[in-house]
Amino acid sequence: MRLSVVAVALLLLPLVAVLASAEQFDFFYLVQQWPGSFCDTQQGCCFPDTGKPAADFGIHGLWPNYAKCRSAGERELVGEMGLVDMGLRRKKCWPEYCNDGNPLSLWEIKDLVKQLDQSWPTLSCKSGKSMEFWSYEWRKHGTCSDLDQHGYFAAALALKARYNLTAILADAGIVPSDDDTYFLSSISDAIAEGTGFKANLECNRDASGETQLFQVYQCVDRSGKRLIDCPLPMQGKCRDRVKLPPF
């Protein structure tokens, strides 16, 4: 018996829905920031309502990313040829805001809140509530991760715990200091040796304009479980020597 076109379409709908909901990306960035560098700027920082965080790298986010920037924002011209206006293409290097109808629920991550307060605190002066920070990261990045809410935050926490950047740098003699500076290559080598994988580094400027290590971008496979060598180089605004200010 031949199936009608309508029947075939109905059978394929679940598969289409699954494919549409699965976000396509190539790897994650696990981004951790040094709190001393976040605060030691002209803008400064504010502590969350849970108090001053530990002097330790804190999670900024777990961000799905493309290995190669893609064209986005194309507009089709309606006509016999079905042409595409190539002039309206723009580059998109990561997916974001994939499901605004899925806000973060505290209930879903209730068993992780203590760890999140310690490892993923906000330093922004906008609210002082880390839950708002987590909600933003989930809405912008987590909804594109193909992970549920609990799995997304648990993955970031597990990776941070497995590879303690503060301890890895300290073992290499790279410790917070008001006066000392460190070769950027020494920091990069220490992280590669301590984790087994190369990471990307980002710097910012302190209130007097000196360069300081700000964020470490570790690359993670699509499962969110294993580190990989970063497939993309990064222009992280760093110089040959950088500071790691106390917090």
Side-chain angles (χ1 to χ4, degrees), residues 169-201:
L169 293 182
D171 287 344
I174 301 167
V175 295
S177 171
D178 284 318
D179 303 312
D180 294 337
T181 62
Y182 302 98
F183 283 109
L184 189 71
S185 58
S186 298
I187 295 173
S188 181
D189 290 346
I191 293 173
E193 184 175 347
T195 66
F197 299 93
K198 296 179 180 178
N200 288 331
L201 306 178

PDB file of all heavy atoms in Angstrom, residues 169-201:
ATOM      1  N   LEU A 169      48.830  27.254  37.684  1.00  0.00           N
ATOM      2  CA  LEU A 169      49.736  28.386  37.528  1.00  0.00           C
ATOM      3  C   LEU A 169      50.650  28.521  38.750  1.00  0.00           C
ATOM      4  O   LEU A 169      51.842  28.820  38.605  1.00  0.00           O
ATOM      5  CB  LEU A 169      48.939  29.672  37.304  1.00  0.00           C
ATOM      6  CG  LEU A 169      48.172  29.759  35.981  1.00  0.00           C
ATOM      7  CD1 LEU A 169      47.459  31.106  35.866  1.00  0.00           C
ATOM      8  CD2 LEU A 169      49.100  29.560  34.789  1.00  0.00           C
ATOM      9  N   ALA A 170      50.109  28.295  39.936  1.00  0.00           N
ATOM     10  CA  ALA A 170      50.934  28.394  41.147  1.00  0.00           C
ATOM     11  C   ALA A 170      52.062  27.365  41.126  1.00  0.00           C
ATOM     12  O   ALA A 170      53.192  27.653  41.537  1.00  0.00           O
ATOM     13  CB  ALA A 170      50.064  28.212  42.390  1.00  0.00           C
ATOM     14  N   ASP A 171      51.770  26.161  40.633  1.00  0.00           N
ATOM     15  CA  ASP A 171      52.801  25.126  40.539  1.00  0.00           C
ATOM     16  C   ASP A 171      53.934  25.538  39.598  1.00  0.00           C
ATOM     17  O   ASP A 171      55.065  25.057  39.731  1.00  0.00           O
ATOM     18  CB  ASP A 171      52.187  23.811  40.053  1.00  0.00           C
ATOM     19  CG  ASP A 171      51.338  23.136  41.117  1.00  0.00           C
ATOM     20  OD1 ASP A 171      51.462  23.506  42.300  1.00  0.00           O
ATOM     21  OD2 ASP A 171      50.534  22.251  40.758  1.00  0.00           O
ATOM     22  N   ALA A 172      53.617  26.432  38.662  1.00  0.00           N
ATOM     23  CA  ALA A 172      54.634  26.926  37.724  1.00  0.00           C
ATOM     24  C   ALA A 172      55.271  28.225  38.213  1.00  0.00           C
ATOM     25  O   ALA A 172      56.028  28.855  37.471  1.00  0.00           O
ATOM     26  CB  ALA A 172      54.002  27.141  36.354  1.00  0.00           C
ATOM     27  N   GLY A 173      54.957  28.613  39.456  1.00  0.00           N
ATOM     28  CA  GLY A 173      55.533  29.829  40.020  1.00  0.00           C
ATOM     29  C   GLY A 173      54.833  31.106  39.581  1.00  0.00           C
ATOM     30  O   GLY A 173      55.358  32.207  39.778  1.00  0.00           O
ATOM     31  N   ILE A 174      53.652  30.980  39.010  1.00  0.00           N
ATOM     32  CA  ILE A 174      52.887  32.140  38.543  1.00  0.00           C
ATOM     33  C   ILE A 174      51.784  32.402  39.555  1.00  0.00           C
ATOM     34  O   ILE A 174      50.757  31.722  39.591  1.00  0.00           O
ATOM     35  CB  ILE A 174      52.308  31.881  37.140  1.00  0.00           C
ATOM     36  CG1 ILE A 174      53.446  31.600  36.152  1.00  0.00           C
ATOM     37  CG2 ILE A 174      51.460  33.066  36.666  1.00  0.00           C
ATOM     38  CD1 ILE A 174      52.986  31.040  34.825  1.00  0.00           C
ATOM     39  N   VAL A 175      52.030  33.380  40.424  1.00  0.00           N
ATOM     40  CA  VAL A 175      51.121  33.677  41.528  1.00  0.00           C
ATOM     41  C   VAL A 175      50.766  35.160  41.502  1.00  0.00           C
ATOM     42  O   VAL A 175      51.508  35.975  40.953  1.00  0.00           O
ATOM     43  CB  VAL A 175      51.754  33.302  42.884  1.00  0.00           C
ATOM     44  CG1 VAL A 175      51.976  31.791  42.969  1.00  0.00           C
ATOM     45  CG2 VAL A 175      53.057  34.051  43.088  1.00  0.00           C
ATOM     46  N   PRO A 176      49.630  35.520  42.091  1.00  0.00           N
ATOM     47  CA  PRO A 176      49.229  36.932  42.097  1.00  0.00           C
ATOM     48  C   PRO A 176      50.284  37.812  42.771  1.00  0.00           C
ATOM     49  O   PRO A 176      50.863  37.444  43.794  1.00  0.00           O
ATOM     50  CB  PRO A 176      47.921  36.924  42.889  1.00  0.00           C
ATOM     51  CG  PRO A 176      47.396  35.529  42.736  1.00  0.00           C
ATOM     52  CD  PRO A 176      48.602  34.652  42.699  1.00  0.00           C
ATOM     53  N   SER A 177      50.502  38.987  42.179  1.00  0.00           N
ATOM     54  CA  SER A 177      51.511  39.904  42.706  1.00  0.00           C
ATOM     55  C   SER A 177      51.193  41.323  42.246  1.00  0.00           C
ATOM     56  O   SER A 177      50.734  41.537  41.120  1.00  0.00           O
ATOM     57  CB  SER A 177      52.906  39.499  42.220  1.00  0.00           C
ATOM     58  OG  SER A 177      53.865  40.484  42.546  1.00  0.00           O
ATOM     59  N   ASP A 178      51.460  42.279  43.124  1.00  0.00           N
ATOM     60  CA  ASP A 178      51.302  43.682  42.748  1.00  0.00           C
ATOM     61  C   ASP A 178      52.435  44.158  41.850  1.00  0.00           C
ATOM     62  O   ASP A 178      52.269  45.133  41.101  1.00  0.00           O
ATOM     63  CB  ASP A 178      51.261  44.562  44.004  1.00  0.00           C
ATOM     64  CG  ASP A 178      49.926  44.491  44.727  1.00  0.00           C
ATOM     65  OD1 ASP A 178      48.892  44.497  44.039  1.00  0.00           O
ATOM     66  OD2 ASP A 178      49.925  44.419  45.977  1.00  0.00           O
ATOM     67  N   ASP A 179      53.576  43.488  41.914  1.00  0.00           N
ATOM     68  CA  ASP A 179      54.771  43.985  41.234  1.00  0.00           C
ATOM     69  C   ASP A 179      55.276  43.089  40.111  1.00  0.00           C
ATOM     70  O   ASP A 179      55.777  43.586  39.090  1.00  0.00           O
ATOM     71  CB  ASP A 179      55.900  44.187  42.257  1.00  0.00           C
ATOM     72  CG  ASP A 179      55.493  45.131  43.384  1.00  0.00           C
ATOM     73  OD1 ASP A 179      54.950  46.205  43.077  1.00  0.00           O
ATOM     74  OD2 ASP A 179      55.708  44.758  44.561  1.00  0.00           O
ATOM     75  N   ASP A 180      55.202  41.789  40.296  1.00  0.00           N
ATOM     76  CA  ASP A 180      55.795  40.872  39.319  1.00  0.00           C
ATOM     77  C   ASP A 180      54.982  40.822  38.028  1.00  0.00           C
ATOM     78  O   ASP A 180      53.764  40.987  38.023  1.00  0.00           O
ATOM     79  CB  ASP A 180      55.880  39.462  39.896  1.00  0.00           C
ATOM     80  CG  ASP A 180      56.847  39.365  41.057  1.00  0.00           C
ATOM     81  OD1 ASP A 180      57.744  40.225  41.140  1.00  0.00           O
ATOM     82  OD2 ASP A 180      56.702  38.442  41.879  1.00  0.00           O
ATOM     83  N   THR A 181      55.676  40.571  36.924  1.00  0.00           N
ATOM     84  CA  THR A 181      55.031  40.277  35.655  1.00  0.00           C
ATOM     85  C   THR A 181      55.532  38.929  35.161  1.00  0.00           C
ATOM     86  O   THR A 181      56.583  38.441  35.592  1.00  0.00           O
ATOM     87  CB  THR A 181      55.332  41.362  34.597  1.00  0.00           C
ATOM     88  OG1 THR A 181      56.750  41.405  34.356  1.00  0.00           O
ATOM     89  CG2 THR A 181      54.853  42.737  35.057  1.00  0.00           C
ATOM     90  N   TYR A 182      54.763  38.321  34.254  1.00  0.00           N
ATOM     91  CA  TYR A 182      55.086  36.980  33.773  1.00  0.00           C
ATOM     92  C   TYR A 182      55.026  36.951  32.245  1.00  0.00           C
ATOM     93  O   TYR A 182      54.198  37.647  31.626  1.00  0.00           O
ATOM     94  CB  TYR A 182      54.098  35.957  34.339  1.00  0.00           C
ATOM     95  CG  TYR A 182      54.062  35.934  35.846  1.00  0.00           C
ATOM     96  CD1 TYR A 182      53.071  36.621  36.550  1.00  0.00           C
ATOM     97  CD2 TYR A 182      55.020  35.245  36.576  1.00  0.00           C
ATOM     98  CE1 TYR A 182      53.040  36.616  37.942  1.00  0.00           C
ATOM     99  CE2 TYR A 182      55.005  35.231  37.963  1.00  0.00           C
ATOM    100  CZ  TYR A 182      54.013  35.922  38.647  1.00  0.00           C
ATOM    101  OH  TYR A 182      53.990  35.921  40.019  1.00  0.00           O
ATOM    102  N   PHE A 183      55.907  36.148  31.653  1.00  0.00           N
ATOM    103  CA  PHE A 183      55.830  35.958  30.209  1.00  0.00           C
ATOM    104  C   PHE A 183      54.507  35.271  29.863  1.00  0.00           C
ATOM    105  O   PHE A 183      54.130  34.276  30.495  1.00  0.00           O
ATOM    106  CB  PHE A 183      56.997  35.114  29.709  1.00  0.00           C
ATOM    107  CG  PHE A 183      58.294  35.862  29.617  1.00  0.00           C
ATOM    108  CD1 PHE A 183      59.335  35.590  30.509  1.00  0.00           C
ATOM    109  CD2 PHE A 183      58.480  36.846  28.647  1.00  0.00           C
ATOM    110  CE1 PHE A 183      60.537  36.285  30.419  1.00  0.00           C
ATOM    111  CE2 PHE A 183      59.678  37.538  28.563  1.00  0.00           C
ATOM    112  CZ  PHE A 183      60.707  37.272  29.451  1.00  0.00           C
ATOM    113  N   LEU A 184      53.838  35.799  28.879  1.00  0.00           N
ATOM    114  CA  LEU A 184      52.584  35.188  28.446  1.00  0.00           C
ATOM    115  C   LEU A 184      52.821  33.753  27.992  1.00  0.00           C
ATOM    116  O   LEU A 184      51.996  32.866  28.249  1.00  0.00           O
ATOM    117  CB  LEU A 184      51.966  36.006  27.304  1.00  0.00           C
ATOM    118  CG  LEU A 184      50.552  35.604  26.887  1.00  0.00           C
ATOM    119  CD1 LEU A 184      49.545  35.984  27.955  1.00  0.00           C
ATOM    120  CD2 LEU A 184      50.172  36.259  25.560  1.00  0.00           C
ATOM    121  N   SER A 185      53.949  33.510  27.348  1.00  0.00           N
ATOM    122  CA  SER A 185      54.270  32.156  26.890  1.00  0.00           C
ATOM    123  C   SER A 185      54.419  31.192  28.070  1.00  0.00           C
ATOM    124  O   SER A 185      54.072  30.014  27.959  1.00  0.00           O
ATOM    125  CB  SER A 185      55.551  32.170  26.057  1.00  0.00           C
ATOM    126  OG  SER A 185      56.643  32.692  26.805  1.00  0.00           O
ATOM    127  N   SER A 186      54.926  31.692  29.202  1.00  0.00           N
ATOM    128  CA  SER A 186      55.063  30.838  30.390  1.00  0.00           C
ATOM    129  C   SER A 186      53.693  30.438  30.929  1.00  0.00           C
ATOM    130  O   SER A 186      53.497  29.290  31.366  1.00  0.00           O
ATOM    131  CB  SER A 186      55.865  31.560  31.468  1.00  0.00           C
ATOM    132  OG  SER A 186      57.174  31.847  31.026  1.00  0.00           O
ATOM    133  N   ILE A 187      52.757  31.373  30.900  1.00  0.00           N
ATOM    134  CA  ILE A 187      51.390  31.072  31.344  1.00  0.00           C
ATOM    135  C   ILE A 187      50.752  30.049  30.411  1.00  0.00           C
ATOM    136  O   ILE A 187      50.151  29.060  30.855  1.00  0.00           O
ATOM    137  CB  ILE A 187      50.549  32.361  31.399  1.00  0.00           C
ATOM    138  CG1 ILE A 187      51.106  33.309  32.463  1.00  0.00           C
ATOM    139  CG2 ILE A 187      49.088  32.041  31.677  1.00  0.00           C
ATOM    140  CD1 ILE A 187      50.447  34.678  32.493  1.00  0.00           C
ATOM    141  N   SER A 188      50.896  30.277  29.110  1.00  0.00           N
ATOM    142  CA  SER A 188      50.326  29.357  28.126  1.00  0.00           C
ATOM    143  C   SER A 188      50.928  27.966  28.266  1.00  0.00           C
ATOM    144  O   SER A 188      50.206  26.952  28.240  1.00  0.00           O
ATOM    145  CB  SER A 188      50.574  29.908  26.720  1.00  0.00           C
ATOM    146  OG  SER A 188      50.023  29.066  25.743  1.00  0.00           O
ATOM    147  N   ASP A 189      52.241  27.891  28.435  1.00  0.00           N
ATOM    148  CA  ASP A 189      52.913  26.590  28.574  1.00  0.00           C
ATOM    149  C   ASP A 189      52.485  25.871  29.850  1.00  0.00           C
ATOM    150  O   ASP A 189      52.308  24.645  29.862  1.00  0.00           O
ATOM    151  CB  ASP A 189      54.424  26.776  28.568  1.00  0.00           C
ATOM    152  CG  ASP A 189      54.967  27.182  27.199  1.00  0.00           C
ATOM    153  OD1 ASP A 189      54.225  27.069  26.206  1.00  0.00           O
ATOM    154  OD2 ASP A 189      56.132  27.638  27.150  1.00  0.00           O
ATOM    155  N   ALA A 190      52.332  26.631  30.942  1.00  0.00           N
ATOM    156  CA  ALA A 190      51.932  26.025  32.209  1.00  0.00           C
ATOM    157  C   ALA A 190      50.541  25.405  32.110  1.00  0.00           C
ATOM    158  O   ALA A 190      50.298  24.294  32.613  1.00  0.00           O
ATOM    159  CB  ALA A 190      51.966  27.072  33.324  1.00  0.00           C
ATOM    160  N   ILE A 191      49.621  26.109  31.448  1.00  0.00           N
ATOM    161  CA  ILE A 191      48.265  25.586  31.296  1.00  0.00           C
ATOM    162  C   ILE A 191      48.268  24.355  30.391  1.00  0.00           C
ATOM    163  O   ILE A 191      47.591  23.356  30.680  1.00  0.00           O
ATOM    164  CB  ILE A 191      47.327  26.680  30.747  1.00  0.00           C
ATOM    165  CG1 ILE A 191      47.149  27.780  31.795  1.00  0.00           C
ATOM    166  CG2 ILE A 191      45.972  26.098  30.355  1.00  0.00           C
ATOM    167  CD1 ILE A 191      46.382  28.993  31.309  1.00  0.00           C
ATOM    168  N   ALA A 192      49.040  24.402  29.313  1.00  0.00           N
ATOM    169  CA  ALA A 192      49.112  23.248  28.409  1.00  0.00           C
ATOM    170  C   ALA A 192      49.691  22.024  29.119  1.00  0.00           C
ATOM    171  O   ALA A 192      49.208  20.901  28.941  1.00  0.00           O
ATOM    172  CB  ALA A 192      49.951  23.607  27.185  1.00  0.00           C
ATOM    173  N   GLU A 193      50.724  22.248  29.931  1.00  0.00           N
ATOM    174  CA  GLU A 193      51.337  21.133  30.655  1.00  0.00           C
ATOM    175  C   GLU A 193      50.418  20.609  31.748  1.00  0.00           C
ATOM    176  O   GLU A 193      50.332  19.395  31.973  1.00  0.00           O
ATOM    177  CB  GLU A 193      52.664  21.572  31.260  1.00  0.00           C
ATOM    178  CG  GLU A 193      53.411  20.452  31.958  1.00  0.00           C
ATOM    179  CD  GLU A 193      54.789  20.868  32.465  1.00  0.00           C
ATOM    180  OE1 GLU A 193      55.262  21.954  32.051  1.00  0.00           O
ATOM    181  OE2 GLU A 193      55.378  20.111  33.256  1.00  0.00           O
ATOM    182  N   GLY A 194      49.727  21.514  32.432  1.00  0.00           N
ATOM    183  CA  GLY A 194      48.880  21.110  33.549  1.00  0.00           C
ATOM    184  C   GLY A 194      47.577  20.451  33.137  1.00  0.00           C
ATOM    185  O   GLY A 194      47.013  19.665  33.908  1.00  0.00           O
ATOM    186  N   THR A 195      47.083  20.775  31.940  1.00  0.00           N
ATOM    187  CA  THR A 195      45.810  20.216  31.489  1.00  0.00           C
ATOM    188  C   THR A 195      45.971  19.215  30.346  1.00  0.00           C
ATOM    189  O   THR A 195      45.073  18.409  30.094  1.00  0.00           O
ATOM    190  CB  THR A 195      44.866  21.326  31.000  1.00  0.00           C
ATOM    191  OG1 THR A 195      45.410  21.941  29.819  1.00  0.00           O
ATOM    192  CG2 THR A 195      44.671  22.396  32.074  1.00  0.00           C
ATOM    193  N   GLY A 196      47.099  19.312  29.645  1.00  0.00           N
ATOM    194  CA  GLY A 196      47.310  18.460  28.481  1.00  0.00           C
ATOM    195  C   GLY A 196      46.835  19.071  27.182  1.00  0.00           C
ATOM    196  O   GLY A 196      46.959  18.446  26.119  1.00  0.00           O
ATOM    197  N   PHE A 197      46.320  20.314  27.243  1.00  0.00           N
ATOM    198  CA  PHE A 197      45.761  20.936  26.055  1.00  0.00           C
ATOM    199  C   PHE A 197      46.057  22.432  26.046  1.00  0.00           C
ATOM    200  O   PHE A 197      46.100  23.083  27.087  1.00  0.00           O
ATOM    201  CB  PHE A 197      44.239  20.721  25.991  1.00  0.00           C
ATOM    202  CG  PHE A 197      43.849  19.281  25.925  1.00  0.00           C
ATOM    203  CD1 PHE A 197      43.564  18.570  27.086  1.00  0.00           C
ATOM    204  CD2 PHE A 197      43.795  18.618  24.706  1.00  0.00           C
ATOM    205  CE1 PHE A 197      43.217  17.235  27.032  1.00  0.00           C
ATOM    206  CE2 PHE A 197      43.451  17.282  24.642  1.00  0.00           C
ATOM    207  CZ  PHE A 197      43.159  16.580  25.802  1.00  0.00           C
ATOM    208  N   LYS A 198      46.210  22.965  24.835  1.00  0.00           N
ATOM    209  CA  LYS A 198      46.464  24.392  24.683  1.00  0.00           C
ATOM    210  C   LYS A 198      45.168  25.175  24.869  1.00  0.00           C
ATOM    211  O   LYS A 198      44.095  24.728  24.466  1.00  0.00           O
ATOM    212  CB  LYS A 198      47.051  24.683  23.298  1.00  0.00           C
ATOM    213  CG  LYS A 198      48.415  24.053  23.058  1.00  0.00           C
ATOM    214  CD  LYS A 198      48.917  24.358  21.653  1.00  0.00           C
ATOM    215  CE  LYS A 198      50.276  23.723  21.416  1.00  0.00           C
ATOM    216  NZ  LYS A 198      50.773  23.975  20.035  1.00  0.00           N
ATOM    217  N   ALA A 199      45.294  26.351  25.464  1.00  0.00           N
ATOM    218  CA  ALA A 199      44.141  27.229  25.669  1.00  0.00           C
ATOM    219  C   ALA A 199      44.435  28.589  25.034  1.00  0.00           C
ATOM    220  O   ALA A 199      45.574  28.901  24.681  1.00  0.00           O
ATOM    221  CB  ALA A 199      43.856  27.392  27.162  1.00  0.00           C
ATOM    222  N   ASN A 200      43.405  29.393  24.884  1.00  0.00           N
ATOM    223  CA  ASN A 200      43.556  30.772  24.437  1.00  0.00           C
ATOM    224  C   ASN A 200      43.499  31.704  25.633  1.00  0.00           C
ATOM    225  O   ASN A 200      42.775  31.436  26.608  1.00  0.00           O
ATOM    226  CB  ASN A 200      42.460  31.143  23.440  1.00  0.00           C
ATOM    227  CG  ASN A 200      42.640  30.474  22.094  1.00  0.00           C
ATOM    228  OD1 ASN A 200      43.760  30.181  21.685  1.00  0.00           O
ATOM    229  ND2 ASN A 200      41.552  30.217  21.400  1.00  0.00           N
ATOM    230  N   LEU A 201      44.249  32.799  25.566  1.00  0.00           N
ATOM    231  CA  LEU A 201      44.336  33.737  26.680  1.00  0.00           C
ATOM    232  C   LEU A 201      43.848  35.117  26.251  1.00  0.00           C
ATOM    233  O   LEU A 201      44.107  35.554  25.127  1.00  0.00           O
ATOM    234  CB  LEU A 201      45.777  33.839  27.187  1.00  0.00           C
ATOM    235  CG  LEU A 201      46.457  32.513  27.580  1.00  0.00           C
ATOM    236  CD1 LEU A 201      47.893  32.777  28.026  1.00  0.00           C
ATOM    237  CD2 LEU A 201      45.673  31.799  28.675  1.00  0.00           C
TER     238      LEU A 201
END
